[in-house]
Every structure is written in structure tokens, then in C-alpha cells.
Amino acid sequence: MDLGQPVRAVVPSLDGPVLTVLAGLATPISGREVGRLVGTASPAGVQRVLTRLAAEGVVHAERRTNTVYYSANREHLAWPAVEVLAGLRRELLGRIAERVQAWSVPVHTAAVFGSLARGEGNIDSDVDLLLVRADDLTGEQSQVWEEQVDALVTAVQAWTGNRAQPYDISVQELRAHVDAGEPIVQSWQREAITLAGRDVTAVLRSVAR
């Protein structure tokens, strides 16, 4: 799945990104602004898509003086399908969170970082996971933990087609990373999205003391 534009898994054309932009807005915007938010297409290409979607009725087009403003037609019969496709990134984060929160050996902190967290990437991007475990796991708990992580990796690949890359680390190991000034810590501080357990930023502050 294209982690930057997940809708392309089903709608590979420019229509997908354009619809995703409009699905996330509550007020009309100009075609130029749609193009800016899509970010990877020519203005002419975006305009062709908007014109066609308006003709299909999926998008409202409203002329104001010399500019046409576009907005989602949420009453259109096709719009529920658009909402599902536009929300694939949110759905993925929700599934990961739900899976991790149900673990029998609790996670100290679970988060995503990297391209998924930034809303970037492509079909070759990994799903980067930060999974922080407690320091005092017993032998049996450690085995269950490993099975949980392996099952999550398998599930993420089934959900997306992308490889999950878990950064599996204990609280003590996390502290050592912070003390050593490991570059990956800056990535966690800058972009990680907490999905379960303690907030990543709070944990990093606590281990740095």
C-alpha cells in the first residue's frame, strides 16, 4: 500500500488524492488550493479531475466571481465509499492500536514513526513500529511478548502489503539509546504517534532524567 496516499491501493489515478483532500475539508476551496494540498500533480491534471468529479455529482462546484470553489458532496450515493478509502491511514492506525491494546503482556509504549507517521512514503515503505516493553518480564512473558510482536508484524503485512519493521526495545534499552544520543531517538521525538501505553514524549523525558 502507498503509505503516503493509501487510497491509491484502490484508486490509482489522481482522483484518489483529490477526493482524499476534499474528504478532509469542511469548507470549499479553489482548484489551485486542491492542487497545492495534493502536492504531486500538475494544476491542469487536478482541474481535469475536479471537472469530471463535479460532472459526476461527487463534488460541488461553486463559482465566486472569477474562481470556482470545490467541496465534497457528502450526500452522494458514492460518498460512503470515498470516506472509507480516504480514511485508510486512520483505519490502519486504529487496527494497530486495537491489536496492541489487547495484548496479554502489556506494552509500555507503542507508537508508529517514520513515513507512516509523517503521512509520506510509497508502496515500498516499511511500517515502522516502536514497541517498548517492561524490563522485568519473566521467561514465559518474554515468549508471549515475542509471539505478540510476530503476530502484529504478520497482521500489518496482511492489512497493507507492506513489511512491518518493529523496533522492539525495553525501557532500560530505551534509556541507553537516549543517553547515547542515538539518531533514531530524534525521529521518535519529532514524529512518533502514540497508539497504546504511555505517551512517547513523556516516556523519553522520563528516561532522560
Side-chain angles (χ1 to χ4, degrees):
M1 186 170 77
D2 185 333
L3 296 183
Q5 291 285 354
V7 69
R8 291 189 185 275
V10 179
V11 186
S13 66
L14 182 55
D15 296 46
V18 169
L19 286 168
T20 298
V21 165
L22 294 176
L25 299 173
T27 57
I29 61 173
S30 68
R32 182 184 298 274
E33 187 66 9
V34 172
R36 187 187 69 79
L37 293 173
V38 168
T40 57
S42 69
V46 170
Q47 189 56 58
R48 283 194 297 271
V49 168
L50 288 169
T51 299
R52 189 187 65 76
L53 291 174
E56 296 280 359
V58 180
V59 167
H60 290 306
E62 176 188 357
R63 177 169 291 278
R64 302 178 186 173
T65 61
N66 296 324
T67 304
V68 178
Y69 287 79
Y70 298 90
S71 60
N73 178 10
R74 302 181 192 278
E75 297 183 8
H76 197 283
L77 288 173
W79 194 257
V82 174
E83 290 281 5
V84 170
L85 294 174
L88 288 178
R89 179 175 178 272
R90 182 174 61 251
E91 174 68 17
L92 173 58
L93 295 178
R95 286 193 186 189
I96 296 173
E98 183 178 16
R99 178 65 66 94
V100 173
Q101 289 165 5
W103 280 0
S104 58
V105 177
V107 69
H108 186 77
T109 297
V112 295
F113 64 101
S115 56
L116 176 60
R118 295 191 301 270
E120 300 173 353
N122 52 47
I123 61 173
D124 297 319
S125 298
D126 293 338
V127 176
D128 295 307
L129 304 167
L130 172 62
L131 302 172
V132 183
R133 62 186 184 277
D135 291 324
D136 56 353
L137 297 184
T138 65
E140 181 179 352
Q141 288 174 325
S142 293
Q143 181 177 347
V144 172
W145 173 270
E146 291 177 6
E147 292 171 352
Q148 292 175 161
V149 173
D150 289 344
L152 178 61
V153 168
T154 300
V156 168
Q157 184 151 8
W159 295 334
T160 65
N162 300 73
R163 184 180 65 171
Q165 188 65 45
Y167 206 100
D168 181 356
I169 190 171
S170 70
V171 175
Q172 184 176 351
E173 291 166 338
L174 180 66
R175 181 177 292 109
H177 275 53
V178 172
D179 290 344
E182 296 287 350
I184 197 170
V185 174
Q186 296 179 9
S187 175
W188 297 335
Q189 292 171 328
R190 195 169 51 243
E191 66 198 18
I193 300 173
T194 304
L195 300 179
R198 292 190 62 195
D199 179 73
V200 172
T201 302
V203 170
L204 290 172
R205 281 201 304 264
S206 68
V207 299
R209 294 171 182 170

